[in-house]
Amino acid sequence: MKDEPRVATAIVVNFNGRGFAVEAVASLLAQELEELEIVVVDNGSSDGSAEEIEARFGTRVRLIRAGRNLGWGAGNNVGIRASRSRHLVLLNSDAVAAPGFVRELVTAAETDPKLGMVAAKLLEERRRDVIDSTGHLLYPDGLNRGRGRLETDRGQYDGLRTALFPSGAGGLYRRAMLDQIGLFEESFFLYGDDAELGLRARLAGWGCGFAPRAVAHHYYSRSAGAYSAAKAFHVERNRIWIVLRHFPPGGIVASVGYTLVRLAYHAAAAFTGQGAAGRLARESSAFALLAVTLRAWASALRGVPRQLQGRRRLAGLRRLGGLEFRALMREFRLSAREAAFKE
């Protein structure tokens, strides 16, 4: 029937991605899934990348011009609202999907209606045997990172079929789940919005699958800068908001202690030039890194009323109790050492 929703829509959010966003879109056009809808949301690019996409792909791609930089989550929300498909597949503009990427994600999702999300295997583009993410892990103060990040891919995660939540750089979200729990939290703007939605879904009782044969190659933080002050700011601020929105009261209190431990590791990493903190300190200064952290905390404090309002609004969705939440955190826990010393 003509009114039957499509199986899947793939969404790419572009902001000044000239020279590489076309790679992401071209990889989606080469997918092994018939009638895949492709939506590109352009966040007010000024580098001609929207025109480049339009000239190269024409009507094969639905281009939506947002007119301004809405941020990653809000941009994806525009694409989600513009689609009626049963599954929404997100791909970063700095990622390139293998031909079976969408098919493998959809196949995994349709094995179990309780799976609201499916994580892909993301490998680095420059070093194609190095893992970027196989789903995410979470530190007890809200910081998250890809499972297996920077490990050589030897198939060590291929036997797994679950993840905590997908990386926003590439993964699938079920329409029915989003209809129930809502879309991405737009106040996050960049970074952590995939973690916030993923935790919200898990707390609402939805599962997350892992499709190891759904492969994409990711230029890590190519669009925002892997070691930029902007990234450090948003990561630090948004992990606090994740805690406020979703952690149980005891977990909120305990997160302060976990943060102090993590910051001690970060200080050691910065001093020895290791991890993202070491790179950022080396490219600017340790003082600049401290200033970014303090600015992030101040911004997080100003946003507390909105995030607590969101917590109250989402309380009715919660299906996991405190014990189940802690068990989930233990299963997918990120260590402080890994958080600090891995880039």
Side-chain angles (χ1 to χ4, degrees):
M1 295 178 62
K2 288 186 177 181
D3 292 334
E4 185 74 15
R6 292 175 184 262
V7 172
T9 293
I11 300 170
V12 175
V13 174
N14 173 59
F15 176 65
N16 289 340
R18 186 173 180 84
F20 62 89
V22 291
E23 293 182 70
V25 177
S27 74
L28 291 172
L29 284 166
Q31 288 299 298
E32 299 167 350
L33 187 76
E34 292 184 7
E35 297 185 3
L36 172 67
E37 180 184 35
I38 300 170
V39 174
V40 176
V41 179
D42 184 73
N43 267 349
S45 296
S46 58
D47 65 344
S49 53
E51 291 75 16
E52 182 182 35
I53 290 167
E54 190 171 42
R56 172 114 175 236
F57 304 114
T59 58
R60 291 183 292 167
V61 170
R62 184 177 178 187
L63 177 64
I64 301 174
R65 295 176 183 265
R68 62 187 178 89
N69 189 2
L70 302 174
W72 184 88
N76 277 296
N77 287 348
V78 169
I80 293 168
R81 292 188 184 105
S83 163
R84 295 179 57 245
S85 298
R86 298 198 305 272
H87 303 293
L88 292 310
V89 174
L90 307 190
L91 185 71
N92 263 18
S93 62
D94 56 3
V96 179
F101 178 73
V102 174
R103 185 197 65 231
E104 293 291 339
L105 288 172
V106 170
T107 298
E110 296 197 336
T111 61
D112 184 352
K114 295 179 182 178
L115 293 179
M117 306 167 285
V118 181
K121 179 194 278 190
L122 303 180
L123 304 175
E124 291 203 348
E125 172 60 28
R126 295 182 180 90
R127 299 175 294 174
R128 289 191 158 216
D129 62 341
V130 174
I131 294 171
D132 177 44
S133 172
T134 61
H136 272 212
L137 302 175
L138 189 70
Y139 184 66
D141 75 345
L143 194 74
N144 66 95
R145 173 163 292 167
R147 180 174 61 186
R149 169 132 178 90
L150 297 183
E151 296 178 16
T152 299
D153 180 28
R154 301 181 302 276
Q156 63 268 43
Y157 296 100
D158 289 1
L160 301 179
R161 289 296 178 267
T162 60
L164 180 56
F165 53 81
S167 166
L172 177 146
Y173 298 84
R174 188 185 296 272
R175 166 79 63 184
M177 182 193 77
L178 297 175
D179 287 345
Q180 183 200 17
I181 71 169
L183 306 184
F184 289 100
E185 171 53 41
E186 298 184 1
S187 63
F188 280 48
F189 194 73
L190 284 175
Y191 297 107
D193 20 24
D194 52 356
E196 190 283 322
L197 178 61
L199 276 184
R200 192 193 327 156
R202 296 305 299 259
L203 289 169
W206 290 93
C208 178
F210 171 54
R213 293 192 296 180
V215 174
H217 295 91
H218 184 210
Y219 293 95
Y220 183 66
S221 292
R222 182 177 184 178
S223 54
Y227 310 105
S228 67
K231 177 177 180 178
F233 169 83
H234 285 100
V235 167
E236 180 62 18
R237 183 194 66 180
N238 294 349
R239 67 96 191 159
I240 297 171
W241 286 352
I242 288 169
V243 170
L244 291 176
R245 291 175 74 89
H246 296 310
F247 280 34
I252 295 175
V253 174
S255 72
V256 178
Y258 283 111
T259 295
L260 294 176
V261 172
R262 179 178 58 79
L263 289 178
Y265 277 102
H266 271 297
F271 181 75
T272 58
Q274 299 179 68
R279 285 287 297 268
L280 186 57
R282 192 161 63 246
E283 293 177 9
S284 52
S285 69
F287 177 78
L289 183 59
L290 176 62
V292 167
T293 302
L294 294 176
R295 193 161 54 86
W297 289 353
S299 181
L301 186 62
R302 290 193 295 271
V304 165
R306 174 170 179 158
Q307 304 310 321
L308 291 181
Q309 183 182 43
R311 181 186 180 93
R312 290 190 293 270
R313 187 172 64 250
L314 299 169
L317 294 172
R318 187 181 287 263
R319 296 293 178 268
L320 261 60
L323 289 176
E324 294 167 304
F325 179 81
R326 285 192 288 274
L328 200 62
M329 295 302 99
R330 284 195 300 271
E331 182 180 0
F332 297 104
R333 180 165 173 168
L334 174 70
S335 72
R337 174 173 286 279
E338 184 175 356
F341 283 92
K342 274 192 179 180
E343 293 185 8

